[in-house]
């Protein structure tokens, strides 16, 4: 570990993101989100959310345990994905009109796929141009407790004595989030990060966000980036970790991770206003910032994982090595249905 971090553990840092209790049965305290045609839950809603939500006729509520909110299929199975997506769209329109929840901020947002619901609309639905994946707008998704997926990239620089030398990591390009952002304003973040919208892939997200956030061209990123793995955790929103919206929402998280080594003469530059500035931070300074809770919680998980994969944090210098890896590879409460 770096000079400022010897003998300290990153366990509490990853627990900031994976902070939903392991010994709680969600169905005891939350409403289950049920999508028509599939009896298993796809999300969890707080009772307060259920009470405040301006429900439409496309939703059926059951207050008997296990409590549930069922989204009805107006297509009767001919194009379920489109019908269920339309039900969520009508509901978010009402929430925006009535300014029901802080998290929605009276604004529409990009669609997020419900990853636990089958994406095949069926033969009849496909024939009619079925959309495939049920989608919920990003700002509303945490209210329903569905799996949220994102993509993060860490860009770094190596110092080499010769061209063939593998070298050592000189530093990580770390941005500070703009102060006007809704969540975690002013905190440190992964070099590039973004939510994976419905119809997009993790790599497409990285290419887009790298250009928008860091002024890195798609050609440069495509030539240098490589997939580094997948992280999972379950968060419960709280103000202590930079969340100004509704508290106690269940947010199962799935993050695709990417690494990219940059030449010393390539410098990320803020472009779309979401980043205040980029700094090439030494590994020791990154470790100290992690332990000082300066990183956005999900980005902290990504950076700790980067340090593990690159042999900087090991079982020899991290006393909670196994527990940390359990927290960043947590079993999600809903099974992902892959395309």
């Amino acid at each position: 570990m770096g000079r400022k971090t010897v003998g300290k553990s990153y366990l509490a840092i990853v627990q900031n993101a994976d902070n939903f209790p392991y010994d709680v049965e969600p169905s005891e305290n939350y409403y289950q989100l049920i999508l028509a045609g599939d009896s298993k839950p796809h999300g969890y809603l707080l009772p307060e959310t259920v009470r405040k939500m301006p429900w439409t006729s496309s939703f059926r509520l059951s207050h008997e345990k296990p409590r549930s909110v069922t989204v009805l299929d107006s297509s009767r199975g001919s194009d379920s994905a489109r019908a269920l997506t339309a039900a969520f769209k009508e509901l978010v329109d009402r929430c925006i009109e009535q300014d029901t929840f802080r998290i929605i901020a009276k604004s529409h947002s990009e669609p997020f796929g419900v990853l636990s619901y089958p994406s095949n609309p069926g033969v009849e639905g496909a024939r009619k141009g079925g959309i495939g994946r049920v989608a919920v707008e990003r700002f509303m998704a945490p209210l329903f407790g569905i799996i949220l997926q994102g993509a993060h990239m860490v860009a770094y620089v190596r110092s080499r004595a010769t061209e063939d030398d593998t070298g050592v990591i000189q530093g990580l390009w770390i941005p500070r989030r703009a102060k006007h952002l809704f969540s975690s304003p002013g905190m440190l973040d992964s070099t590039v990060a973004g939510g994976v919208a419905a119809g997009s892939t993790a790599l497409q997200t990285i290419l887009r966000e790298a250009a928008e956030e860091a002024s890195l061209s798609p050609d440069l990123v495509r030539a240098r980036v490589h997939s580094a793995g997948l992280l999972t955790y379950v968060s419960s929103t709280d103000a202590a970790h930079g969340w100004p919206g509704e508290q106690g929402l269940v947010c199962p998280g799935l993050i695709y991770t990417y690494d990219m080594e940059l030449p010393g003469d390539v410098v990320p530059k803020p472009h779309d206003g979401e980043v205040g500035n980029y700094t090439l931070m030494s590994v020791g300074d990154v470790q100290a910032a992690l332990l000082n809770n300066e990183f956005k919680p999900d980005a902290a998980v990504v950076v700790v994982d980067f340090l593990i994969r690159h042999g900087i944090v090991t079982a020899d210098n991290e006393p909670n090595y196994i527990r940390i890896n359990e927290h960043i590879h947590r079993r999600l409460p809903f099974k992902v249905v892959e395309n």
Side-chain angles (χ1 to χ4, degrees), residues 5-337:
T5 61
V6 173
K8 297 183 179 180
S9 175
Y10 296 96
L11 178 60
I13 307 307
V14 299
Q15 287 175 330
N16 287 340
D18 187 43
N19 64 354
F20 190 82
Y22 278 68
D23 58 354
V24 169
E25 172 52 53
S27 61
E28 289 295 314
N29 302 314
Y30 296 83
Y31 282 72
Q32 298 179 357
L33 174 66
I34 305 296
L35 303 183
D38 190 351
S39 60
K40 67 178 183 296
H42 296 273
Y44 291 118
L45 296 85
L46 283 170
E48 182 182 0
T49 300
V50 174
R51 180 180 59 80
K52 291 178 62 177
M53 190 71 72
W55 299 107
T56 71
S57 59
S58 296
F59 294 81
R60 183 179 67 235
L61 276 60
S62 172
H63 302 292
E64 299 294 325
K65 288 193 174 182
R67 296 172 293 182
S68 64
V69 173
T70 300
V71 193
L72 304 178
D73 180 4
S74 60
S75 78
R76 301 179 183 273
S78 66
D79 194 354
S80 299
R82 187 179 297 277
L84 298 176
T85 297
F88 283 118
K89 174 66 168 60
E90 182 183 9
L91 188 59
V92 77
D93 286 345
R94 278 197 183 185
C95 288
I96 290 173
E97 180 183 345
Q98 300 178 21
D99 193 14
T100 313
F101 298 100
R102 292 193 304 277
I103 189 176
I104 296 178
K106 299 200 305 186
S107 301
H108 285 290
S109 52
E110 68 265 43
F112 267 28
V114 180
L115 302 181
S116 54
Y117 192 77
S119 60
N120 186 350
V123 175
E124 185 64 21
R127 219 184 272 127
K128 295 180 179 179
I131 62 174
R133 179 79 78 181
V134 178
V136 180
E137 289 193 18
R138 179 179 184 175
F139 293 167
M140 175 173 263
L143 293 169
F144 285 94
I146 66 171
I147 297 172
L148 306 174
Q149 63 173 339
H152 287 234
M153 180 182 76
V154 176
Y156 63 99
V157 176
R158 285 188 185 273
S159 58
R160 290 181 166 87
T162 67
E163 187 175 332
D164 296 329
D165 181 17
T166 57
V168 296
I169 295 178
Q170 176 185 341
L172 282 63
W173 281 111
I174 300 297
R176 187 170 294 280
R177 293 168 61 80
K179 293 183 179 179
H180 66 79
L181 295 179
F182 180 80
S183 63
S184 305
M187 299 191 77
L188 301 180
D189 208 339
S190 306
T191 311
V192 168
V196 180
S200 185
T201 68
L203 180 57
Q204 289 170 343
T205 301
I206 291 296
L207 293 171
R208 183 184 66 251
E209 297 294 339
E212 293 179 358
E213 295 181 355
S215 305
L216 298 172
S217 74
D219 288 343
L220 171 73
V221 176
R222 194 178 287 108
R224 289 182 166 271
V225 74
H226 69 267
S227 175
L230 189 69
L231 306 175
T232 52
Y233 56 86
V234 182
S235 290
S236 176
T237 57
D238 66 90
H241 299 112
W243 182 258
E246 281 70 20
Q247 308 295 295
L249 305 178
V250 182
C251 297
L254 184 157
I255 296 178
Y256 297 90
T257 59
Y258 292 82
D259 288 355
M260 183 172 70
E261 181 181 346
L262 284 179
D265 60 351
V266 175
V267 178
K269 296 180 177 64
H271 177 66
D272 64 359
E274 293 194 2
V275 172
N277 63 279
Y278 280 94
T279 303
L280 185 62
M281 296 179 65
S282 70
V283 171
D285 285 345
V286 168
Q287 291 176 290
L290 282 167
L291 292 167
N292 198 36
N293 285 305
E294 295 180 37
F295 276 84
K296 185 170 179 274
D298 59 345
V301 167
V302 171
V303 175
V304 169
D305 174 66
F306 177 92
L307 298 177
I308 291 172
R309 290 186 290 100
H310 287 269
I312 296 164
V313 173
T314 70
D316 294 321
N317 60 26
E318 169 53 70
N320 296 297
Y321 188 78
I322 293 175
R323 291 185 65 192
I324 286 172
N325 278 280
E326 289 174 340
H327 276 289
I328 65 178
H329 298 100
R330 181 170 179 171
R331 182 171 183 173
L332 296 177
F334 317 114
K335 184 177 180 179
V336 174
V337 179

